[in-house]
Amino acid sequence: MPNEKVVVQNLTKSYGDLLVLDDISFSVKESEFFVIVGPTGCGKTTFLNSLTKIIDINNGSILLDGEAVDPRKQNLAYILQEYSALPWLNVEQNIAYGLKIKGYEKSVIEERVEEAIKMVNLENYRHYYPSELSASMLQRVVIARAFATKPDLLLMDEPYGQLDLNLKYKLEDELLSLWQQTGTTVIFITHNIEEAVYLSDRILVMTNKPTKVKTELINDLPRPRNVASRQFVELRNEVTDLIKWW
Amino acid sequence: MINKTFTKDMRETWMYGILGFLVFLLVWQAACVFTNFGKIFPTPKVSLAAFLQAFVEPIGRHTLLGHISISLRRVLIGYTLSSITGIIIGLLMGYSKLAHAIIYPIFCIIRPIPGIAWIPLAILWIGIGEPTIHFIIFMGGFSQMVMNTMDGAQHVDTELVGVAKVLGAKENQIFRKIVLPSSIPYIFTGLQTSLSTSWMAVLAAEMITAREGAGWLIIAGMQTGRIENNVIGMIAIGLVGLILATLLRNAERRLCRWTVRSR
């Protein structure tokens, strides 16, 4: 049984009188693909920003490997819905960015960048700037930047929300392949139920505001998953029913 | 990669630019020949001849090249000082709420005062001489530089800052690797605007406190009734301004290769 990698206990966040996250508790196992779903605007991003300490929480605790989460001490990576490649750096420099921040030696950076650039098939675009890349390439750059740091925990906030369906399916498969190769622990946030069922080991369903944990579902469908299979459709419908707040 | 070739679009832009210039000369010539404008203003041909002659024959103490280099030196000193100070203060105010709270109210009072309004005080404080001219140029370009740089530092993409924080970036890394590069296009806009106002300021300062320089040429032409000298001074100012602005744009293209604007 894998160890618990992330433990969130009684997490509460409010803005003034507006309670956004209400006493949230859950845990994520080592190398697990953990997906959080909830209605649009339910506070999923606030939750992820609390987790990464981008915003302060009012109450509760978040532990990574048994210690209070701290991006300066632990190795985290974050992929957003918006393309967060740095516009003034080319593909190679963008991928190296996280490694440089973490103070790796030049030889290690070069080796990791080369490895990551191959993983996302951008070898021929290494000197291109973000303004010269397509949407899928941009998201691949960011994914490569995240995986290059070999993070203890990878956080993804609706990373494919802006892409068309074909690209989304392709990048989801690429992500699963990278996750399986590296064994990274992933927390993935989405409002797309099919995406949640396709990617996850486990699904955490959240309520509408104030956000609470509604339930957790284990997703043990065999991989690679067939979105048209009876079991897949049944699980998707189950999550859909859970997410309804009307 | 950025395409550096001389594209068809660029060729057309140049052609239209040259065409516009020729039309301007034709209108000028026609105005001199067919209207009373010719009695108070020289034709393009006379102006060009006087302009070229001024490179050989001194006007006052220097030839045209001498006057231009004197003005240029003054501008470069004042402009460099105002740019460096403006960038530092702009970054400080844009990045630090505390610095903004302390400096911004004072800056808001100084900001609307044009550089030339400082001339009487500058003469009173520093006397007539080079430092006064440098000070007036400094004040002329300073506000623009601060405003643009501050704007750049305030408009940093918060998502990028968030990503950097999660990757473990410290405050100084966020400043060096996110805030500073994000601000560079804004800084260049400030440098361009500030360069124009610095030129305006040097001319105004030279008209009042100097005995040489491109600004002095214009005022000397007016005082002696030699309108060609006015035109020579104006052409010189225009050309030098154009060369400086072009150099700055090229520097921006090299340093901001990522921006669509410079492609």
Side-chain angles (χ1 to χ4, degrees), chain A:
Chain A
M1 188 75 177
N3 295 329
E4 284 183 341
K5 184 81 177 171
V6 181
V7 178
V8 177
Q9 282 180 324
N10 311 114
L11 177 65
T12 304
K13 172 70 190 171
S14 58
Y15 293 102
D17 294 336
L18 179 69
L19 182 62
V20 181
L21 304 175
D22 186 10
D23 198 29
I24 291 175
S25 298
F26 67 89
S27 62
V28 183
K29 296 182 181 78
E30 175 99 47
S31 299
E32 191 176 25
F33 204 119
F34 188 83
V35 176
I36 298 172
V37 288
T40 304
C42 77
K44 299 188 290 287
T45 301
T46 303
F47 166 70
L48 218 51
N49 285 340
S50 307
L51 202 83
T52 51
K53 291 219 160 172
I54 288 177
I55 55 174
D56 294 327
I57 56 175
N58 299 100
N59 194 24
S61 67
I62 305 161
L63 303 178
L64 175 61
D65 291 325
E67 288 179 23
V69 71
D70 183 351
R72 288 187 188 166
K73 290 180 187 160
Q74 292 145 331
N75 194 357
L76 306 181
Y78 193 2
I79 297 174
L80 307 163
Q81 183 175 3
E82 292 76 22
Y83 308 123
S84 61
L86 303 173
W88 52 88
L89 301 181
N90 64 27
V91 169
E92 230 172 34
Q93 293 164 332
N94 256 295
I95 297 172
Y97 175 72
L99 296 163
K100 282 185 179 170
I101 281 183
K102 290 175 190 298
Y104 284 96
E105 281 179 20
K106 199 181 167 195
S107 58
V108 177
I109 293 175
E110 282 170 0
E111 190 186 313
R112 294 260 191 105
V113 168
E114 208 48 47
E115 200 181 321
I117 216 166
K118 279 181 188 154
M119 277 198 304
V120 293
N121 295 317
L122 286 174
E123 296 104 305
N124 297 329
Y125 299 91
R126 59 178 73 231
H127 299 303
Y128 280 58
Y129 284 91
S131 60
E132 300 170 294
L133 299 175
S134 68
S136 73
M137 287 173 170
L138 279 173
Q139 208 56 314
R140 277 191 202 147
V141 171
V142 178
I143 287 169
R145 182 173 72 198
F147 276 100
T149 61
K150 301 194 173 167
D152 295 325
L153 177 63
L154 174 60
L155 304 156
M156 304 181 85
D157 186 4
E158 303 195 33
Y160 308 133
Q162 293 186 13
L163 300 177
D164 66 49
L165 278 180
N166 283 339
L167 276 177
K168 200 161 105 138
Y169 292 154
K170 187 173 158 48
L171 288 176
E172 280 171 2
D173 283 338
E174 279 184 12
L175 173 66
L176 283 176
S177 161
L178 288 172
W179 167 69
Q180 281 163 340
Q181 280 173 47
T182 57
T184 307
T185 309
V186 180
I187 297 181
F188 189 105
I189 279 185
T190 183
H191 65 267
N192 184 319
I193 295 159
E194 187 173 284
E195 187 173 53
V197 176
Y198 189 71
L199 296 172
S200 63
D201 283 334
R202 201 148 48 104
I203 302 172
L204 185 83
V205 182
M206 288 185 155
T207 63
N208 210 350
K209 269 179 194 166
T211 305
K212 291 181 182 182
V213 173
K214 191 163 198 174
T215 189
E216 275 184 33
L217 295 167
I218 292 171
N219 180 0
D220 53 6
L221 296 177
R223 296 179 191 272
R225 288 170 181 162
N226 176 4
V227 293
S229 72
R230 187 178 52 82
Q231 296 97 321
F232 190 98
V233 174
E234 277 174 8
L235 184 56
R236 194 186 64 194
N237 290 345
E238 189 183 345
V239 179
T240 309
D241 286 337
L242 284 166
I243 221 167
K244 279 180 184 169
W245 71 91
W246 57 91

Side-chain angles (χ1 to χ4, degrees), chain A residues 71 87-88 97 101-102 131-132, chain B residues 1-2 165 167 178 182 258:
Chain A
W88 52 88
Y97 175 72
I101 281 183
K102 290 175 190 298
S131 60
E132 300 170 294
Chain B
M1 281 190 290
I2 304 296
K165 278 184 179 170
L167 285 167
I178 304 281
S182 294
W258 74 88

Side-chain angles (χ1 to χ4, degrees), chain B:
Chain B
M1 281 190 290
I2 304 296
N3 187 2
K4 289 178 181 172
T5 53
F6 196 69
T7 61
K8 193 184 164 201
D9 278 357
M10 286 161 77
R11 267 202 305 277
E12 280 182 3
T13 308
W14 271 88
M15 274 172 56
Y16 285 125
I18 292 165
L19 188 70
F21 187 67
L22 290 175
V23 170
F24 168 74
L25 286 178
L26 271 176
V27 172
W28 179 2
Q29 178 71 23
C32 289
V33 173
F34 299 113
T35 70
N36 287 335
F37 186 62
K39 290 177 187 169
I40 54 163
F41 206 75
T43 62
K45 192 181 164 191
V46 171
S47 303
L48 183 67
F51 180 72
L52 294 174
Q53 201 180 3
F55 280 97
V56 188
E57 277 183 25
I59 304 169
R61 297 181 197 171
H62 306 280
T63 60
L64 180 59
L65 217 51
H67 286 294
I68 290 172
S69 55
I70 286 163
S71 294
L72 198 58
R73 186 169 51 83
R74 287 168 175 160
V75 166
L76 289 180
I77 292 171
Y79 173 68
T80 307
L81 289 174
S82 74
S83 299
I84 293 168
T85 321
I87 289 169
I88 293 169
I89 293 178
L91 284 172
L92 262 176
M93 283 207 290
Y95 189 59
S96 156
K97 283 180 182 166
L98 178 69
H100 188 273
I102 295 169
I103 306 169
Y104 193 64
I106 305 163
F107 175 71
C108 280
I109 296 168
I110 294 172
R111 187 179 144 203
I113 304 170
I116 53 172
W118 290 92
I119 292 175
L121 276 183
I123 293 172
L124 201 67
W125 290 338
I126 315 171
I128 290 179
E130 291 300 303
T132 306
I133 298 174
H134 300 154
F135 176 76
I136 292 159
I137 297 165
F138 177 92
M139 292 312 294
F142 174 72
S143 298
Q144 294 289 348
M145 206 57 246
V146 174
M147 278 309 292
N148 281 284
T149 310
M150 184 176 75
D151 217 22
Q154 283 177 334
H155 283 91
V156 174
D157 188 341
T158 49
E159 305 282 3
L160 297 183
V161 174
V163 168
K165 278 184 179 170
V166 176
L167 285 167
K170 299 179 185 80
E171 278 302 313
N172 71 334
Q173 286 177 313
I174 290 170
F175 182 79
R176 281 188 294 113
K177 293 186 183 292
I178 304 281
V179 178
L180 203 53
S182 294
S183 307
I184 287 176
Y186 291 82
I187 290 174
F188 268 103
T189 307
L191 287 171
Q192 285 282 6
T193 325
S194 164
L195 185 63
S196 306
T197 46
S198 295
W199 260 116
M200 281 189 249
V202 75
L203 299 175
E206 284 177 350
M207 284 176 182
I208 294 164
T209 68
R211 295 285 170 269
E212 54 206 353
W216 175 83
L217 263 183
I218 293 173
I219 207 77
M222 193 184 81
Q223 284 165 350
T224 57
R226 293 198 60 183
I227 201 77
E228 310 90 79
N229 282 1
N230 278 48
V231 179
I232 290 166
M234 288 163 76
I235 294 173
I237 289 159
L239 286 177
V240 174
L242 176 71
I243 291 166
L244 288 178
T246 309
L247 288 174
L248 210 52
R249 260 198 303 277
N250 286 336
E252 183 182 4
R253 279 201 191 102
R254 291 178 75 86
L255 282 167
C256 306
R257 277 175 291 174
W258 74 88
T259 57
V260 176
R261 189 156 57 110
S262 60
R263 286 172 70 188

